[in-house]
Amino acid sequence: MTSLEFTSQVQKISLTLRPAAMNLTRDADDAKDLVQETLLKALLNKDKFKAGTNLKAWLYTIMRNTFINNYNKITKRSSNIDSTEYFQYFNTDQNYITHNGATSDFVVRDINEAIAGLGTDYRTPFMMYYIGYKYMEIAEKLQIPIGTVKNRIHIARKELKSALQVYAPVGASAAEVTETVED
């Protein structure tokens, strides 16, 4: 199909695009703009049209996608999230506020000691899981059943929770902390 034939066919079909654009935009001016943008994209991308296929459907697809893209742009620009309420409660628990580096050093040291206190059978799968390995990958690397991997990670977590109970939220029992973390 030559450029002249393509242009004349697009021009004939363009009259049928306006009602569909009106259904999408619900505004006459926006519908005109949408049809214009659709025709521009069609003419710029005429080399992507395959002769013998439905030109009208191709144009409608361009128009629909253009409308969706424009709608998404407008929605993203106009959506302002009021995060002041969220930030008001962010890190308000006194247990998690570090006033100096020494406190966080103690916490990190306690966590590392608790992990080092785990048996090798439990520490290795736990650390692999912590790093990001999936259960199946850990099972394959350690050549143990997947059920054993899951069990060892579960036991390691329980032991770490017990060893680090001092960092549990104030007033929470060990059972509540375990239940919260496992959910």
Side-chain angles (χ1 to χ4, degrees):
M1 174 182 305
T2 66
S3 291
L4 188 59
E5 291 172 340
F6 180 82
T7 306
S8 68
Q9 284 186 6
V10 167
Q11 216 170 14
K12 288 176 191 173
I13 296 172
S14 69
L15 300 174
T16 64
L17 292 176
R18 179 167 275 159
M22 192 64 182
N23 280 339
L24 290 171
T25 62
R26 310 243 187 261
D27 181 67
D29 291 333
D30 290 340
K32 286 179 186 175
D33 291 342
L34 181 59
V35 170
Q36 229 176 12
E37 195 171 347
T38 301
L39 295 175
L40 177 65
K41 285 182 179 181
L43 293 173
L44 290 174
N45 294 298
K46 66 183 170 208
D47 56 315
K48 294 180 183 173
F49 176 73
K50 295 179 181 136
T53 59
N54 189 345
L55 179 62
K56 189 174 185 179
W58 188 67
L59 290 171
Y60 276 97
T61 302
I62 292 172
M63 184 170 62
R64 186 194 70 223
N65 290 343
T66 302
F67 172 77
I68 291 170
N69 290 339
N70 289 341
Y71 178 81
N72 287 338
K73 284 179 191 173
I74 291 168
T75 319
K76 283 182 184 177
R77 277 190 215 138
S78 66
S79 65
N80 294 328
I81 299 172
D82 183 20
S83 58
T84 53
E85 186 175 322
Y86 172 74
F87 287 122
Q88 180 179 358
Y89 300 107
F90 188 69
N91 275 345
T92 57
D93 188 349
Q94 293 300 316
N95 290 329
Y96 301 110
I97 295 176
T98 302
H99 297 287
N100 62 35
T103 306
S104 62
D105 290 344
F106 286 124
V107 174
V108 170
R109 186 178 53 194
D110 288 348
I111 292 171
N112 287 333
E113 286 176 6
I115 292 171
L118 293 172
T120 308
D121 289 345
Y122 300 106
R123 183 176 53 244
T124 304
F126 175 79
M127 289 307 295
M128 289 176 76
Y129 181 76
Y130 175 75
I131 291 170
Y133 285 93
K134 305 285 186 237
Y135 290 128
M136 189 60 81
E137 295 171 327
I138 297 168
E140 288 173 2
K141 287 210 184 260
L142 299 178
Q143 297 178 347
I144 55 176
I146 192 166
T148 305
V149 169
K150 290 179 180 182
N151 187 40
R152 288 181 181 175
I153 291 171
H154 176 74
I155 291 170
R157 289 177 67 198
K158 274 186 150 180
E159 287 184 23
L160 289 172
K161 287 175 204 167
S162 175
L164 299 169
Q165 182 63 34
V166 69
Y167 297 107
V170 176
S173 67
E176 290 173 355
V177 171
T178 302
E179 185 178 304
T180 304
V181 175
E182 288 179 356
D183 289 342

